Every structure is written in C-alpha cells, then in structure tokens.
Amino acid sequence: MSVLAFLLVGMAAGWLAGVVMKGHGHGLSGNLFLGILGALIGGYLFEFFAVDSKGLLPSLITATAGAILVLTITGLANKR
C-alpha cells in the first residue's frame, strides 16, 4: 500500500473510531492522528495473529480496530 493510501485509510479509520467511540475521542484532528497510529498498531496485531488484511475494506477494518484500541487506551490514560 502506498504511503498516501495508508494515510487516507488511517484517517478514515480515525474518523470511524471517533464515531464508534462517542465521547471518548480527541476531536477531529486528534482522532485522525490516532487513526493513523491505530492503523500501524492494527496492522501489526492482525499480522501477528495471521489475519489477512489485504485490500481496501480489510485494511479499513484493521485500521479502525487499531484506532478503537488506541482511543480506548488513551481515554483510560487521560482519566487518571
């Protein structure tokens, strides 16, 4: 996947994660950044568990799962 496509998928995943995690987001720009980070983390986790995520839709699902994980962790860390 090209860098531009990766960034776009990551930003879309951040937006989707913000929609799913209502009230636990970090604003639009924060969610977009965390979506990119989540795309990296989700990709590594899915690869570790041998889940194939080739293609646009599987990549978006992988990135969204990673972004939700990142939003959850940062939400828990901010409560302390």
Side-chain angles (χ1 to χ4, degrees):
M1 181 180 292
S2 72
V3 174
L4 180 60
F6 175 79
L7 291 174
L8 291 174
V9 167
M11 286 191 279
W15 177 80
L16 283 172
V19 170
V20 170
M21 302 286 294
K22 292 178 186 173
H24 299 287
H26 299 281
L28 181 60
S29 60
N31 286 352
L32 295 179
F33 173 75
L34 291 176
I36 295 169
L37 181 62
L40 283 171
I41 292 172
Y44 285 123
L45 286 175
F46 275 51
E47 184 177 319
F48 178 77
F49 291 112
V51 177
D52 186 28
S53 61
K54 303 289 187 232
L56 181 62
L57 186 59
S59 294
L60 185 60
I61 292 169
T62 300
T64 303
I68 289 171
L69 179 67
V70 169
L71 284 174
T72 301
I73 291 170
T74 57
L76 291 172
N78 286 338
K79 286 185 179 180
R80 293 181 181 205

